[in-house]
């Protein structure tokens, strides 16, 4: 994987959708995340496994904010898991850690 790229592995488990992100969530990859997150069932849950996410920039923060809003509008739960220290710092700076459920690890 080249520097700045993001790969996303999707695991649908009934009402639970887990997206494992690997690489960097930035302006070049934010739209990919939003597209790959489509189709969470009503009343279901989306968990982003960020354990292999190396970098998160302001565009990535906006994408996570978009998903948080979308989860409320579309009525499904949203959580982040496996958050690394650099990513955690960005979430805290944007106060997303107060609006999004953050877990130690993905289910």
């Amino acid at each position: 994987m080249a520097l700045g790229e993001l790969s996303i592995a999707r695991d649908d488990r009934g009402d639970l959708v887990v997206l494992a992100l690997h690489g960097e969530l930035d302006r070049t990859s934010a739209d990919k995340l939003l597209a790959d997150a489509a189709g969470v069932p009503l009343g279901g849950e989306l968990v982003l496994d960020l354990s292999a996410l190396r970098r998160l920039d302001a565009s990535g923060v906006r994408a996570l904010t978009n998903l948080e809003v979308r989860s409320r509008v579309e009525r499904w739960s949203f959580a982040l898991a496996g958050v690394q220290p650099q990513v955690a710092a960005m979430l805290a700076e944007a106060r997303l850690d107060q609006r999004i459920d953050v877990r130690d690890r993905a289910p």
Side-chain angles (χ1 to χ4, degrees):
M1 176 182 309
L3 186 65
E5 288 185 7
L6 178 72
S7 67
I8 301 174
R10 182 178 175 125
D11 184 6
D12 287 275
R13 305 176 193 171
D15 287 345
L16 172 64
V17 177
V18 177
L19 297 180
L21 282 61
H22 185 272
E24 300 183 8
L25 181 54
D26 57 21
R27 68 176 175 77
T28 63
S29 58
D31 288 340
K32 176 178 176 44
L33 171 62
L34 296 176
D36 285 6
V40 177
L42 178 67
E45 181 176 34
L46 172 65
V47 177
L48 300 185
D49 179 353
L50 305 182
S51 58
L53 188 69
R54 293 188 310 263
R55 182 173 170 270
L56 175 71
D57 74 1
S59 295
V61 168
R62 279 191 297 278
L64 295 178
T65 301
N66 179 302
L67 287 175
E68 189 272 329
V69 170
R70 212 161 102 187
S71 72
R72 287 186 279 122
V73 170
E74 297 178 5
R75 296 186 302 234
W76 40 265
S77 300
F78 180 45
L80 306 175
V83 178
Q84 300 301 305
Q86 183 272 342
V87 173
M90 287 292 292
L91 294 174
E93 185 176 317
R95 299 187 188 269
L96 282 181
D97 59 341
Q98 297 174 17
R99 296 181 7 214
I100 300 172
D101 181 18
V102 178
R103 303 173 184 171
D104 290 336
R105 63 181 192 273

